[in-house]
Amino acid sequence: MKQDKTPMMEMGYQVMHLLLSGRYTAKQLGKMINTNEPTIRKVINNLRCEGIPVCTGGRGYYISTDKGEIAKTIESLTHRIVQMQNAVDGLMRGMML
């Protein structure tokens, strides 16, 4: 039985194909596949969750096999996690006032 692709999966294939050929910002990718930037960010996250090494830099997203570049993206994501956790902790303290 053939499974139909969901729209998000189809966008994932399109974005992955584009990123294999170069670097693009979320805005550029959105224009290329006719969607918005928040959706592109969800697609990028889904690709990363599936093990596709989508990196990010000052000039946009790209797929890399360079362990150093992948490590920099991991470091950046980890920093963002810490910042978000700090915000959650602050909100939790605020609820206790």
Side-chain angles (χ1 to χ4, degrees):
M1 180 185 310
K2 184 180 175 187
Q3 242 183 353
D4 291 330
K5 295 179 199 169
T6 66
M8 192 64 90
M9 285 175 61
E10 182 60 37
M11 282 189 265
Y13 293 130
Q14 292 173 345
V15 168
M16 187 169 60
H17 178 74
L18 289 165
L19 294 180
L20 286 168
S21 67
R23 289 180 188 234
Y24 299 98
T25 64
K27 185 174 186 174
Q28 291 169 323
L29 290 167
K31 285 182 180 179
M32 293 170 146
I33 67 168
N34 197 30
T35 193
N36 56 41
E37 292 178 55
T39 299
I40 292 295
R41 287 190 288 275
K42 287 178 187 174
V43 168
I44 295 294
N45 186 62
N46 288 345
L47 290 171
R48 288 172 170 163
C49 289
E50 291 299 320
I52 307 300
V54 179
C55 293
T56 189
R59 296 179 300 177
Y61 296 106
Y62 60 101
I63 292 177
S64 180
T65 56
D66 181 277
K67 289 182 180 184
E69 291 176 357
I70 297 167
K72 283 182 185 179
T73 297
I74 291 169
E75 183 180 332
S76 174
L77 290 171
T78 302
H79 179 73
R80 289 176 60 201
I81 291 167
V82 170
Q83 289 178 319
M84 285 187 239
Q85 186 61 55
N86 289 341
V88 168
D89 293 346
L91 287 169
M92 296 292 286
R93 284 191 307 274
M95 284 179 52
M96 296 180 189
L97 295 178

Coordinates of all heavy atoms in Angstrom, one line a residue:
M1 N 0.8 -1.2 0.0 CA 0.0 0.0 0.0 C 0.9 1.2 0.0 O 1.8 1.4 0.8 CB -0.9 0.0 1.2 CG -1.8 1.2 1.3 SD -2.8 1.3 2.8 CE -3.5 -0.3 3.0
K2 N 0.6 2.1 -0.9 CA 1.4 3.4 -1.0 C 0.9 4.4 -0.1 O -0.3 4.6 0.0 CB 1.3 3.9 -2.5 CG 2.2 5.1 -2.7 CD 2.1 5.6 -4.1 CE 2.9 6.9 -4.3 NZ 2.7 7.4 -5.6
Q3 N 1.8 5.0 0.7 CA 1.4 6.1 1.6 C 1.5 7.4 0.9 O 2.5 7.7 0.3 CB 2.3 6.1 2.8 CG 1.6 5.8 4.1 CD 2.6 5.9 5.3 OE1 3.8 6.0 5.1 NE2 2.0 5.8 6.4
D4 N 0.5 8.3 1.1 CA 0.5 9.6 0.5 C 1.4 10.5 1.4 O 1.4 10.3 2.6 CB -0.9 10.2 0.5 CG -1.7 9.6 -0.6 OD1 -1.2 9.1 -1.6 OD2 -3.0 9.5 -0.4
K5 N 2.2 11.4 0.8 CA 3.0 12.3 1.5 C 2.2 13.4 2.1 O 1.3 13.9 1.4 CB 4.1 12.9 0.6 CG 5.1 11.9 0.0 CD 6.0 12.7 -0.9 CE 6.7 11.7 -1.8 NZ 7.4 12.4 -2.8
T6 N 2.5 13.8 3.3 CA 1.8 14.9 3.9 C 2.4 16.2 3.3 O 3.5 16.2 2.8 CB 1.9 15.0 5.4 OG1 3.3 15.2 5.7 CG2 1.5 13.7 6.1
P7 N 1.6 17.3 3.4 CA 2.2 18.6 2.8 C 3.6 18.9 3.5 O 4.5 19.4 2.9 CB 1.1 19.6 3.2 CG -0.1 18.8 3.2 CD 0.3 17.5 3.7
M8 N 3.7 18.7 4.8 CA 4.9 19.0 5.5 C 6.1 18.1 5.0 O 7.2 18.6 4.9 CB 4.7 18.8 7.0 CG 5.8 19.4 7.9 SD 6.0 21.2 7.7 CE 5.0 21.7 9.0
M9 N 5.8 16.8 4.8 CA 6.8 15.9 4.2 C 7.2 16.4 2.8 O 8.4 16.4 2.5 CB 6.3 14.5 4.1 CG 6.2 13.8 5.4 SD 5.4 12.1 5.3 CE 6.6 11.3 4.2
E10 N 6.3 16.8 2.0 CA 6.6 17.3 0.7 C 7.5 18.5 0.8 O 8.4 18.6 0.0 CB 5.3 17.5 -0.1 CG 5.5 18.0 -1.5 CD 6.3 16.9 -2.4 OE1 6.1 15.7 -2.2 OE2 7.1 17.4 -3.2
M11 N 7.1 19.4 1.7 CA 7.9 20.6 1.8 C 9.3 20.3 2.3 O 10.3 20.9 1.9 CB 7.3 21.6 2.8 CG 6.2 22.4 2.2 SD 5.6 23.7 3.3 CE 4.3 22.8 4.1
G12 N 9.4 19.2 3.2 CA 10.7 18.8 3.6 C 11.6 18.3 2.5 O 12.8 18.6 2.4
Y13 N 11.0 17.5 1.6 CA 11.8 17.1 0.4 C 12.2 18.3 -0.5 O 13.4 18.3 -0.9 CB 10.9 16.1 -0.4 CG 10.6 14.8 0.2 CD1 9.3 14.3 0.3 CD2 11.6 14.0 0.8 CE1 9.0 13.1 0.9 CE2 11.4 12.8 1.4 CZ 10.0 12.4 1.4 OH 9.8 11.2 2.1
Q14 N 11.3 19.2 -0.6 CA 11.7 20.4 -1.5 C 12.8 21.2 -0.8 O 13.7 21.6 -1.5 CB 10.4 21.3 -1.7 CG 9.4 20.6 -2.5 CD 8.1 21.5 -2.6 OE1 7.9 22.3 -1.7 NE2 7.2 21.1 -3.5
V15 N 12.7 21.5 0.5 CA 13.7 22.2 1.2 C 15.0 21.5 1.2 O 16.1 22.1 0.9 CB 13.2 22.6 2.6 CG1 14.4 23.1 3.4 CG2 12.1 23.6 2.6
M16 N 15.0 20.2 1.4 CA 16.2 19.4 1.5 C 16.9 19.5 0.1 O 18.1 19.7 0.0 CB 16.0 18.0 1.8 CG 17.2 17.2 2.0 SD 16.9 15.5 2.8 CE 15.9 14.8 1.6
H17 N 16.1 19.3 -1.0 CA 16.7 19.4 -2.3 C 17.3 20.8 -2.6 O 18.5 20.9 -3.1 CB 15.6 19.2 -3.4 CG 16.1 19.3 -4.8 ND1 16.8 18.3 -5.4 CD2 15.9 20.2 -5.7 CE1 17.1 18.7 -6.6 NE2 16.5 19.8 -6.8
L18 N 16.7 21.8 -2.2 CA 17.2 23.2 -2.3 C 18.5 23.4 -1.5 O 19.5 23.9 -2.0 CB 16.2 24.3 -2.0 CG 15.0 24.4 -2.9 CD1 13.9 25.2 -2.2 CD2 15.5 25.1 -4.2
L19 N 18.5 22.9 -0.3 CA 19.7 23.1 0.6 C 20.9 22.3 0.1 O 22.0 22.6 0.5 CB 19.3 22.8 2.0 CG 18.3 23.7 2.7 CD1 18.0 23.3 4.1 CD2 18.8 25.1 2.6
L20 N 20.6 21.2 -0.6 CA 21.8 20.5 -1.2 C 22.5 21.2 -2.3 O 23.6 20.9 -2.6 CB 21.3 19.1 -1.7 CG 20.9 18.1 -0.7 CD1 20.2 16.9 -1.3 CD2 22.1 17.6 0.1
S21 N 21.8 22.3 -2.8 CA 22.4 23.1 -3.9 C 23.0 24.4 -3.4 O 23.5 25.1 -4.2 CB 21.4 23.3 -5.0 OG 20.4 24.1 -4.6
G22 N 22.7 24.8 -2.1 CA 23.2 26.1 -1.7 C 22.6 26.5 -0.4 O 22.0 25.8 0.3
R23 N 22.9 27.8 0.0 CA 22.5 28.4 1.3 C 21.3 29.3 1.0 O 21.3 30.1 0.0 CB 23.6 29.2 1.9 CG 24.7 28.5 2.5 CD 25.7 29.5 3.1 NE 26.9 28.8 3.5 CZ 27.4 28.8 4.7 NH1 26.8 29.6 5.6 NH2 28.5 28.2 5.0
Y24 N 20.3 29.2 1.8 CA 19.1 30.0 1.7 C 18.6 30.5 3.0 O 18.6 29.7 4.0 CB 18.0 29.3 0.9 CG 18.4 28.9 -0.5 CD1 18.9 27.6 -0.7 CD2 18.4 29.8 -1.5 CE1 19.2 27.2 -2.0 CE2 18.8 29.4 -2.8 CZ 19.2 28.1 -3.0 OH 19.6 27.7 -4.3
T25 N 18.1 31.7 3.1 CA 17.4 32.1 4.3 C 16.0 31.5 4.3 O 15.5 31.0 3.3 CB 17.3 33.7 4.3 OG1 16.4 34.1 3.2 CG2 18.6 34.3 4.2
A26 N 15.3 31.6 5.5 CA 14.0 31.1 5.6 C 13.1 31.9 4.6 O 12.2 31.3 4.0 CB 13.5 31.3 7.0
K27 N 13.3 33.2 4.5 CA 12.5 34.0 3.6 C 12.7 33.5 2.1 O 11.7 33.4 1.4 CB 12.9 35.5 3.7 CG 12.1 36.4 2.9 CD 12.5 37.9 3.2 CE 11.5 38.8 2.5 NZ 11.8 40.2 2.9
Q28 N 13.9 33.3 1.7 CA 14.1 32.8 0.4 C 13.5 31.5 0.1 O 12.8 31.2 -0.9 CB 15.6 32.7 0.1 CG 16.3 34.1 0.0 CD 17.9 33.9 0.0 OE1 18.4 33.1 0.7 NE2 18.5 34.8 -0.7
L29 N 13.7 30.5 1.1 CA 13.1 29.2 0.9 C 11.5 29.3 0.9 O 10.9 28.6 0.1 CB 13.5 28.3 2.1 CG 14.9 27.9 2.1 CD1 15.3 27.3 3.4 CD2 15.2 26.9 1.0
G30 N 11.0 30.2 1.7 CA 9.5 30.4 1.7 C 9.0 30.8 0.3 O 8.0 30.3 -0.2
K31 N 9.7 31.8 -0.2 CA 9.3 32.2 -1.6 C 9.4 31.1 -2.6 O 8.6 31.0 -3.5 CB 10.1 33.4 -2.0 CG 9.7 34.7 -1.2 CD 10.6 35.9 -1.7 CE 10.1 37.2 -1.0 NZ 10.9 38.3 -1.3
M32 N 10.5 30.3 -2.5 CA 10.8 29.3 -3.5 C 9.7 28.2 -3.5 O 9.4 27.6 -4.5 CB 12.1 28.7 -3.3 CG 13.3 29.6 -3.6 SD 14.8 28.9 -3.0 CE 15.9 29.5 -4.3
I33 N 9.2 27.9 -2.3 CA 8.2 26.8 -2.2 C 6.8 27.3 -1.8 O 5.9 26.5 -1.5 CB 8.7 25.6 -1.3 CG1 8.8 26.0 0.2 CG2 10.0 25.0 -1.8 CD1 8.9 24.8 1.1
N34 N 6.6 28.6 -1.8 CA 5.3 29.2 -1.6 C 4.8 28.9 -0.2 O 3.6 28.4 -0.1 CB 4.4 28.8 -2.7 CG 3.2 29.7 -2.8 OD1 3.3 30.9 -2.5 ND2 2.0 29.2 -3.2
T35 N 5.5 29.3 0.8 CA 5.1 29.2 2.1 C 5.7 30.3 3.0 O 6.5 31.1 2.5 CB 5.3 27.8 2.7 OG1 4.5 27.6 3.9 CG2 6.8 27.5 3.0
N36 N 5.3 30.3 4.3 CA 5.9 31.4 5.1 C 7.1 30.9 5.9 O 7.4 29.8 6.0 CB 4.7 31.9 6.0 CG 4.1 30.8 6.9 OD1 4.8 29.9 7.4 ND2 2.8 30.8 7.0
E37 N 7.7 31.9 6.5 CA 9.0 31.7 7.3 C 8.7 30.7 8.5 O 9.6 29.8 8.7 CB 9.6 33.0 7.7 CG 10.2 33.7 6.5 CD 10.8 35.0 6.9 OE1 11.7 35.1 7.7 OE2 10.4 36.1 6.3
P38 N 7.7 30.9 9.3 CA 7.5 30.0 10.4 C 7.3 28.5 10.0 O 7.9 27.6 10.6 CB 6.2 30.5 11.1 CG 6.1 32.0 10.7 CD 6.7 32.0 9.4
T39 N 6.7 28.3 8.8 CA 6.6 27.0 8.3 C 7.9 26.4 7.9 O 8.2 25.3 8.1 CB 5.6 26.9 7.1 OG1 4.3 27.3 7.6 CG2 5.4 25.5 6.6
I40 N 8.7 27.3 7.3 CA 10.1 26.9 6.9 C 10.9 26.4 8.1 O 11.6 25.4 8.1 CB 10.8 28.0 6.1 CG1 10.2 28.2 4.7 CG2 12.3 27.7 6.0 CD1 10.3 27.0 3.8
R41 N 10.8 27.2 9.2 CA 11.5 26.9 10.4 C 11.0 25.5 11.0 O 11.8 24.7 11.5 CB 11.4 28.0 11.5 CG 12.2 29.2 11.1 CD 12.3 30.2 12.2 NE 11.0 30.9 12.4 CZ 10.6 32.0 11.8 NH1 11.4 32.5 10.8 NH2 9.5 32.6 12.0
K42 N 9.7 25.2 10.9 CA 9.2 23.9 11.3 C 9.8 22.8 10.4 O 10.1 21.7 10.9 CB 7.7 23.9 11.3 CG 7.0 24.7 12.3 CD 5.5 24.7 12.2 CE 4.9 25.6 13.2 NZ 3.4 25.7 13.0
V43 N 9.8 23.1 9.1 CA 10.4 22.1 8.2 C 11.8 21.8 8.5 O 12.3 20.6 8.5 CB 10.2 22.5 6.7 CG1 11.0 21.7 5.8 CG2 8.7 22.6 6.3
I44 N 12.6 22.9 8.7 CA 14.0 22.7 9.1 C 14.1 21.9 10.4 O 15.0 21.0 10.5 CB 14.7 24.1 9.3 CG1 14.7 24.9 8.0 CG2 16.1 24.0 9.9 CD1 15.6 24.3 6.9
N45 N 13.3 22.2 11.4 CA 13.4 21.4 12.6 C 13.1 19.9 12.4 O 13.7 19.1 12.9 CB 12.4 22.0 13.6 CG 12.5 21.3 15.0 OD1 13.6 21.4 15.6 ND2 11.5 20.7 15.4
N46 N 12.0 19.7 11.5 CA 11.7 18.3 11.2 C 12.9 17.6 10.5 O 13.1 16.4 10.8 CB 10.5 18.2 10.3 CG 9.2 18.6 11.1 OD1 9.2 18.6 12.3 ND2 8.1 18.9 10.3
L47 N 13.5 18.3 9.6 CA 14.7 17.7 8.9 C 15.8 17.3 9.9 O 16.3 16.2 9.9 CB 15.2 18.6 7.8 CG 14.3 18.8 6.6 CD1 14.9 19.9 5.7 CD2 14.2 17.5 5.8
R48 N 16.0 18.3 10.8 CA 17.1 18.0 11.8 C 16.7 16.8 12.7 O 17.5 16.0 13.1 CB 17.3 19.3 12.7 CG 18.0 20.4 11.9 CD 18.0 21.6 12.7 NE 18.9 22.6 12.2 CZ 18.9 23.9 12.5 NH1 18.0 24.4 13.4 NH2 19.7 24.8 11.9
C49 N 15.4 16.8 13.1 CA 14.9 15.6 13.9 C 15.1 14.3 13.2 O 15.3 13.3 13.9 CB 13.5 15.9 14.3 SG 13.3 17.2 15.5
E50 N 15.1 14.3 11.9 CA 15.2 13.1 11.1 C 16.7 12.8 10.8 O 17.0 11.8 10.1 CB 14.5 13.2 9.8 CG 13.0 13.2 10.0 CD 12.5 11.9 10.6 OE1 13.0 10.8 10.3 OE2 11.6 12.0 11.5
G51 N 17.6 13.6 11.4 CA 19.0 13.4 11.2 C 19.7 14.1 10.0 O 20.9 13.8 9.7
I52 N 18.9 14.9 9.3 CA 19.5 15.7 8.2 C 20.3 16.8 8.8 O 19.8 17.6 9.6 CB 18.4 16.2 7.3 CG1 17.5 15.1 6.8 CG2 19.1 17.0 6.1 CD1 18.1 14.0 6.1
P53 N 21.6 16.9 8.5 CA 22.5 17.9 9.1 C 22.3 19.3 8.6 O 23.2 19.9 7.9 CB 23.9 17.4 8.9 CG 23.8 16.6 7.6 CD 22.4 16.0 7.6
V54 N 21.2 19.9 8.9 CA 20.9 21.3 8.4 C 21.6 22.3 9.4 O 21.2 22.3 10.6 CB 19.4 21.6 8.3 CG1 19.1 23.0 7.9 CG2 18.7 20.6 7.4
C55 N 22.5 23.0 8.8 CA 23.2 24.0 9.7 C 22.7 25.4 9.3 O 22.0 25.6 8.4 CB 24.7 23.9 9.3 SG 25.5 22.4 9.9
T56 N 23.1 26.3 10.2 CA 22.7 27.7 9.9 C 23.8 28.6 10.2 O 24.7 28.3 11.0 CB 21.5 28.0 10.8 OG1 21.0 29.3 10.4 CG2 21.8 28.1 12.3
G57 N 23.9 29.7 9.4 CA 24.9 30.6 9.6 C 24.4 32.0 9.2 O 23.2 32.1 9.0
G58 N 25.2 33.0 9.2 CA 24.8 34.3 8.9 C 24.1 34.5 7.5 O 23.4 35.4 7.3
R59 N 24.4 33.5 6.6 CA 23.8 33.6 5.3 C 22.7 32.6 5.0 O 22.4 32.4 3.9 CB 24.9 33.5 4.2 CG 25.9 34.6 4.3 CD 27.0 34.4 3.3 NE 27.7 33.2 3.6 CZ 28.7 32.7 2.9 NH1 29.1 33.3 1.8 NH2 29.3 31.5 3.2
G60 N 22.2 32.0 6.0 CA 21.1 31.1 5.9 C 21.3 29.7 6.3 O 22.3 29.4 6.9
Y61 N 20.4 28.8 5.9 CA 20.5 27.4 6.1 C 21.2 26.7 5.0 O 21.2 27.1 3.9 CB 19.1 26.8 6.2 CG 18.2 27.3 7.3 CD1 17.2 28.2 7.1 CD2 18.4 26.9 8.6 CE1 16.4 28.7 8.1 CE2 17.6 27.4 9.7 CZ 16.6 28.3 9.4 OH 15.8 28.7 10.4
Y62 N 21.9 25.6 5.4 CA 22.5 24.8 4.4 C 22.8 23.4 5.0 O 22.7 23.2 6.2 CB 23.9 25.4 4.0 CG 24.9 25.6 5.1 CD1 25.9 24.7 5.3 CD2 24.7 26.6 6.0 CE1 26.8 24.8 6.4 CE2 25.6 26.8 7.1 CZ 26.6 25.9 7.2 OH 27.5 26.1 8.3
I63 N 23.0 22.4 4.1 CA 23.3 21.0 4.6 C 24.8 20.9 4.6 O 25.5 21.2 3.6 CB 22.6 20.0 3.7 CG1 21.1 20.1 4.0 CG2 23.1 18.6 4.1 CD1 20.3 19.1 3.1
S64 N 25.4 20.3 5.7 CA 26.8 20.2 5.8 C 27.2 18.8 6.2 O 26.4 18.1 6.9 CB 27.4 21.2 6.8 OG 28.8 21.1 6.9
T65 N 28.4 18.4 5.8 CA 28.9 17.1 6.3 C 30.1 17.4 7.2 O 30.8 16.5 7.7 CB 29.3 16.2 5.2 OG1 30.3 16.9 4.3 CG2 28.1 15.8 4.4
D66 N 30.5 18.7 7.4 CA 31.6 19.2 8.2 C 31.2 19.1 9.6 O 30.3 19.8 10.1 CB 32.0 20.6 7.8 CG 33.2 21.1 8.5 OD1 33.0 21.5 9.7 OD2 34.3 20.9 8.0
K67 N 31.9 18.3 10.4 CA 31.6 18.1 11.8 C 31.7 19.4 12.6 O 31.0 19.6 13.6 CB 32.5 17.0 12.4 CG 32.1 15.6 11.9 CD 32.9 14.5 12.5 CE 32.4 13.2 12.0 NZ 33.0 12.0 12.6
G68 N 32.7 20.2 12.2 CA 32.8 21.5 12.9 C 31.6 22.4 12.7 O 31.2 23.1 13.7
E69 N 31.1 22.5 11.5 CA 30.0 23.3 11.2 C 28.7 22.8 11.9 O 27.9 23.5 12.5 CB 29.7 23.4 9.7 CG 30.8 24.2 9.0 CD 30.6 24.2 7.5 OE1 29.6 23.5 7.0 OE2 31.3 24.8 6.8
I70 N 28.6 21.4 11.9 CA 27.5 20.8 12.6 C 27.6 21.1 14.1 O 26.6 21.4 14.8 CB 27.4 19.3 12.3 CG1 27.2 19.1 10.8 CG2 26.3 18.6 13.2 CD1 27.4 17.7 10.4
A71 N 28.8 21.0 14.7 CA 29.0 21.3 16.1 C 28.6 22.7 16.4 O 28.0 23.0 17.5 CB 30.4 21.0 16.5
K72 N 28.9 23.7 15.6 CA 28.6 25.1 15.8 C 27.1 25.3 15.8 O 26.5 26.0 16.7 CB 29.2 26.0 14.7 CG 30.6 26.3 14.9 CD 31.1 27.2 13.8 CE 32.6 27.4 13.9 NZ 33.1 28.3 12.8
T73 N 26.4 24.6 14.9 CA 24.9 24.6 14.9 C 24.3 24.0 16.2 O 23.4 24.6 16.8 CB 24.3 24.0 13.7 OG1 24.8 24.7 12.5 CG2 22.8 24.0 13.7
I74 N 24.9 22.9 16.6 CA 24.5 22.2 17.9 C 24.7 23.2 19.1 O 23.8 23.4 19.9 CB 25.2 20.9 18.1 CG1 24.8 19.9 17.1 CG2 25.0 20.4 19.5 CD1 25.6 18.6 17.0
E75 N 25.8 23.9 19.1 CA 26.1 24.8 20.2 C 25.1 26.0 20.2 O 24.6 26.4 21.2 CB 27.5 25.4 20.0 CG 28.0 26.3 21.1 CD 29.4 26.8 20.8 OE1 30.2 26.1 20.2 OE2 29.7 28.0 21.3
S76 N 24.8 26.5 19.0 CA 23.8 27.6 18.9 C 22.4 27.1 19.4 O 21.8 27.8 20.1 CB 23.7 28.0 17.4 OG 22.7 29.0 17.3
L77 N 22.0 25.9 19.0 CA 20.7 25.4 19.4 C 20.7 25.2 20.9 O 19.7 25.5 21.6 CB 20.4 24.1 18.7 CG 20.1 24.2 17.2 CD1 20.0 22.9 16.6 CD2 18.8 25.0 17.0
T78 N 21.8 24.7 21.5 CA 21.9 24.4 22.9 C 21.8 25.7 23.7 O 21.1 25.8 24.7 CB 23.2 23.7 23.2 OG1 23.3 22.5 22.5 CG2 23.4 23.4 24.7
H79 N 22.5 26.8 23.2 CA 22.4 28.1 23.8 C 20.9 28.6 23.8 O 20.5 29.2 24.8 CB 23.3 29.1 23.1 CG 23.3 30.5 23.6 ND1 23.9 30.8 24.8 CD2 22.7 31.6 23.1 CE1 23.7 32.1 25.1 NE2 23.0 32.6 24.1
R80 N 20.2 28.4 22.7 CA 18.8 28.8 22.7 C 18.0 28.1 23.6 O 17.1 28.6 24.3 CB 18.3 28.7 21.2 CG 18.9 29.7 20.3 CD 18.5 29.5 18.9 NE 17.1 29.6 18.7 CZ 16.4 29.1 17.7 NH1 17.0 28.5 16.7 NH2 15.1 29.3 17.6
I81 N 18.3 26.8 23.8 CA 17.5 26.0 24.8 C 17.7 26.5 26.2 O 16.8 26.7 27.0 CB 18.0 24.5 24.7 CG1 17.5 23.8 23.4 CG2 17.5 23.7 26.0 CD1 18.2 22.5 23.2
V82 N 19.0 26.9 26.5 CA 19.3 27.4 27.8 C 18.5 28.8 28.0 O 17.9 29.0 29.1 CB 20.8 27.6 28.0 CG1 21.1 28.4 29.3 CG2 21.5 26.3 28.1
Q83 N 18.5 29.6 27.0 CA 17.8 30.9 27.1 C 16.3 30.7 27.3 O 15.6 31.3 28.1 CB 18.0 31.7 25.9 CG 19.4 32.3 25.7 CD 19.6 33.1 24.5 OE1 19.1 32.7 23.4 NE2 20.3 34.2 24.6
M84 N 15.7 29.7 26.6 CA 14.3 29.4 26.8 C 14.0 28.9 28.1 O 13.0 29.2 28.8 CB 13.8 28.4 25.7 CG 13.7 29.1 24.3 SD 12.9 27.9 23.2 CE 14.2 27.8 21.9
Q85 N 14.9 28.0 28.6 CA 14.7 27.4 30.0 C 14.7 28.5 31.0 O 14.0 28.5 32.0 CB 15.7 26.3 30.3 CG 15.4 25.6 31.6 CD 14.0 24.9 31.6 OE1 13.7 24.1 30.8 NE2 13.2 25.3 32.6
N86 N 15.6 29.5 30.8 CA 15.7 30.6 31.8 C 14.4 31.4 31.8 O 13.9 31.9 32.8 CB 16.9 31.5 31.4 CG 18.2 30.9 31.8 OD1 18.3 29.9 32.6 ND2 19.3 31.3 31.1
A87 N 13.8 31.6 30.6 CA 12.6 32.3 30.5 C 11.4 31.5 31.2 O 10.6 32.1 31.9 CB 12.2 32.6 29.0
V88 N 11.4 30.2 31.0 CA 10.4 29.4 31.7 C 10.6 29.5 33.2 O 9.6 29.7 33.9 CB 10.5 27.9 31.2 CG1 9.7 27.0 32.1 CG2 10.0 27.8 29.7
D89 N 11.8 29.4 33.6 CA 12.1 29.5 35.1 C 11.6 30.8 35.6 O 11.0 30.9 36.7 CB 13.6 29.3 35.4 CG 14.1 27.9 35.1 OD1 13.2 27.0 34.9 OD2 15.3 27.7 35.0
G90 N 11.9 31.9 34.9 CA 11.4 33.2 35.4 C 9.9 33.3 35.4 O 9.4 33.9 36.4
L91 N 9.2 32.8 34.4 CA 7.8 32.8 34.5 C 7.2 32.0 35.6 O 6.2 32.4 36.3 CB 7.2 32.2 33.2 CG 7.4 33.2 31.9 CD1 7.1 32.4 30.7 CD2 6.5 34.4 32.1
M92 N 7.9 30.8 35.9 CA 7.4 30.0 37.0 C 7.6 30.8 38.4 O 6.7 30.7 39.2 CB 8.2 28.7 37.1 CG 8.0 27.8 35.9 SD 6.4 27.1 35.8 CE 6.5 25.9 37.1
R93 N 8.7 31.5 38.5 CA 8.9 32.3 39.7 C 7.9 33.4 39.8 O 7.3 33.7 40.9 CB 10.3 32.9 39.7 CG 11.4 31.9 40.1 CD 12.8 32.6 40.3 NE 13.2 33.5 39.3 CZ 13.9 33.1 38.2 NH1 14.2 31.9 38.0 NH2 14.2 34.0 37.3
G94 N 7.5 34.0 38.6 CA 6.5 35.0 38.6 C 5.1 34.5 39.0 O 4.3 35.2 39.6
M95 N 4.8 33.3 38.7 CA 3.5 32.7 39.1 C 3.4 32.5 40.6 O 2.3 32.5 41.2 CB 3.4 31.3 38.5 CG 3.0 31.4 37.0 SD 2.8 29.8 36.2 CE 1.7 28.9 37.3
M96 N 4.6 32.5 41.3 CA 4.6 32.2 42.8 C 4.5 33.5 43.6 O 4.5 33.5 44.8 CB 5.8 31.4 43.1 CG 5.8 30.0 42.5 SD 7.2 29.1 43.0 CE 7.1 27.7 42.0
L97 N 4.5 34.6 42.9 CA 4.4 35.9 43.6 C 3.1 36.2 44.2 O 2.1 35.8 43.8 CB 4.8 37.1 42.7 CG 6.2 37.1 42.1 CD1 6.3 38.3 41.2 CD2 7.2 37.2 43.3

